Amino acid sequence: MSAKDLPTMYGLAESDPGQKLIKRAGVVDADLEQIDRIMAEMGRMRQIERKIMSSSQQYMKLNETDMRAIRKMISAKHAGQSVTPGALSQYLGISSASVTKMIDRLEAHGHVRRTKHPTDRRSLCVEVTDQTHLAAREQVGRHHAKRFEVAKSLSPEEREVVIRFLASTSDAMESSLGEPGTGETE
């Protein structure tokens, strides 16, 4: 995709024409154009990720919270860990009652099953069914594999630049949480 085909809504001129948030004095045009391309590609990637997630949710008949819970259970299964309803409640940031309703619904649709906790007889665990695990791998995993292939194609030095950029961007965005206008509070 050429620069002219990228979404312009992420460009500096379109998103902050008055330079109220992003001061551009002293930044040469070539640098501004390159930064605009980075922002546009990040925006395009977010749009594609939303399409992938929406498609997966529709295919599997799940909502976003359900999908997050399924991903958590799959990751835990791969790591040889058990997932309790309490752990899901904490991970998802929802109440125990909401987790119970979610698990009931997911179990009724054949996505998860309750099992005995391996070390605590008083506790139950929740695990994803093989059928749902396979569906998730087909729907989401294949897209993850594409990202892996792109990362693998980079040199170690290029990967370090990408890692530094993504980590610094995440850190900067996270540090702005709780600031006025972000919808988040501390």
Side-chain angles (χ1 to χ4, degrees), residues 27-85:
V27 183
V28 298
D29 287 345
D31 290 346
L32 288 173
E33 182 180 321
Q34 209 172 28
I35 292 167
D36 267 353
R37 286 176 42 218
I38 290 170
M39 296 302 137
E41 288 294 353
M42 289 177 67
R44 185 168 77 103
M45 188 170 68
R46 282 193 305 271
Q47 288 174 343
I48 292 166
E49 286 176 335
R50 281 193 292 271
K51 286 179 186 177
I52 291 167
M53 190 54 61
S54 176
S55 172
S56 297
Q57 288 171 350
Q58 289 174 8
Y59 175 80
M60 297 177 71
K61 298 177 177 64
L62 300 170
N63 64 39
E64 183 178 343
T65 303
D66 297 342
M67 290 292 286
R68 289 180 57 218
I70 296 291
R71 281 195 308 270
K72 174 68 173 168
M73 286 182 262
I74 289 171
S75 294
K77 185 176 184 176
H78 289 168
Q81 300 170 343
S82 300
V83 177
T84 63

Side-chain angles (χ1 to χ4, degrees), residues 130-141:
D130 293 340
Q131 180 180 351
T132 295
H133 189 169
L134 179 61
R137 183 173 55 230
E138 290 299 315
Q139 286 294 305
V140 180

